[in-house]
Amino acid sequence: MTLINGLPAHVLLVHLVVVLVPLTALALVGAAISRRAARRMGIVLPLLALISLVSVPLTTSAGEWLERHVTDDALVERHAELGDGLLPWAVGLFLLASLVWWISRAATEPRPDATGKAIRSAKPVRVAALVLSLVVAAGAVVDVYRIGDSGAKAAWHDGFSQTASHTRDEG
């Protein structure tokens, strides 16, 4: 993808990533903390994570096209380097969202253990999923922030004046 309605696709697609990755991270942590929240979200949680995951390489690819069509700049290069690091976080969000969804489904279906008693909790798995979810969600959100900050600096570093060139008549 290169252009959308005459604009570089990257500048439009980036909004998907900026919204969906933190939203997915928040939903994942909420579902990992609360089984009730996980059951309420249901399949929406892994689907949201999948859409976030797909949006990252689309945006990165569009960004690589844009990088080839702007003047060489250290800030643009830094932004591109940081952008390449988001995909592993998005994969982690998707895998954990799928795991949390699966755990919440499995917890509602009692299974017998060796003695025939129903097992309703896999507490160690839930705790591990929670800890991993917190780490991956925080990493993903921090990375989105760092990438966005570097992109804004690259786009705007000499693109505006510190002083107004004209004033509006307040009449």
Side-chain angles (χ1 to χ4, degrees):
M1 214 180 265
T2 57
L3 297 173
I4 298 174
N5 202 26
L7 293 173
H10 181 73
V11 299
L12 300 172
L13 293 173
V14 73
H15 293 89
L16 284 174
V17 173
V18 168
V19 171
L20 291 179
V21 170
L23 181 63
T24 300
L26 181 62
L28 172 60
V29 170
I33 289 171
S34 167
R35 274 191 265 178
R36 183 176 181 200
R39 284 192 300 271
R40 283 192 142 176
M41 280 187 253
I43 192 73
V44 171
L45 178 62
L47 288 177
L48 178 63
L50 179 62
I51 294 167
S52 296
L53 174 59
V54 169
S55 71
V56 170
L58 285 175
T59 303
T60 303
S61 176
E64 289 168 354
W65 178 88
L66 181 58
E67 183 181 15
R68 290 188 302 270
H69 290 83
V70 296
T71 57
D72 284 339
D73 185 337
L75 292 173
V76 171
E77 289 176 24
R78 175 72 177 143
H79 174 64
E81 289 172 12
L82 288 172
D84 289 338
L86 186 58
L87 187 58
W89 293 113
V91 169
L93 287 173
F94 173 70
L95 292 174
L96 285 165
S98 299
L99 176 66
V100 167
W101 170 73
W102 181 77
I103 291 169
S104 72
R105 275 181 43 112
T108 60
E109 302 167 3
R111 299 174 317 275
D113 65 5
T115 64
K117 293 182 182 176
I119 301 172
R120 294 198 54 89
S121 175
K123 192 164 189 148
V125 175
R126 286 188 62 239
V127 170
L130 172 59
V131 170
L132 287 171
S133 295
L134 288 167
V135 170
V136 171
V141 169
V142 167
D143 210 29
V144 165
Y145 171 80
R146 290 177 62 223
I147 295 163
D149 182 60
S150 71
K153 286 177 181 171
W156 291 98
H157 71 293
D158 283 330
F160 68 98
S161 172
Q162 293 287 343
T163 59
S165 59
H166 61 74
T167 59
R168 232 190 252 180
D169 185 20
E170 299 290 327

